[in-house]
Amino acid sequence: MIAGRASLRHSGHTDDLNALAEEHLAAARASAHGRSAHLLLQQPPLRQTVIALTEGTALDEHNAPPAASLLVLRGSVRLTAASGDADLPAGTLHPIPRERHGLLALRDAAVLLTAVND
């Protein structure tokens, strides 16, 4: 790693989000749990993770980091929160609310979660 550069972790695709989305959608479809995730970039406090979910699969409600956004790469998802749900189609970039929230795949989906942690 070059000094001062972020650590990119990948499984053969340097930064090809399309390839990662397809790879992890295939892994999610093959998984009994209907999901697959991959930490793409970690440069504290920043983290980027590709998450793939099959239709109907959910990430249960969980706490929000101080700042985060969700970019829908494939399919569509519903971001659920007490302040209101948001249906997000492919190509949508949406902030994660600073409250407990969950995620449901309305169709097979892959997303890029960008989070800033404490």
Side-chain angles (χ1 to χ4, degrees), residues 23-107:
E23 177 183 333
H24 287 281
L25 273 171
R29 291 175 182 131
S31 168
H33 301 291
R35 59 186 170 207
S36 177
H38 177 78
L39 178 61
L40 176 64
L41 182 143
Q42 183 171 9
Q43 184 179 17
L46 179 68
R47 289 174 56 104
Q48 289 187 305
T49 306
V50 173
I51 303 168
L53 304 168
T54 56
E55 183 175 330
T57 300
L59 296 179
D60 293 333
E61 189 176 275
H62 53 279
N63 292 326
S69 67
L70 195 67
L71 172 62
V72 183
L73 302 170
R74 297 277 189 286
S76 61
V77 296
R78 176 172 293 141
L79 182 64
T80 59
S83 61
D85 296 350
D87 289 355
L88 309 172
T92 302
L93 176 64
H94 191 78
I96 302 288
R98 293 191 68 183
E99 62 186 335
R100 290 186 60 79
H101 62 278
L103 190 67
L104 170 68
L106 301 174
R107 293 191 347 232

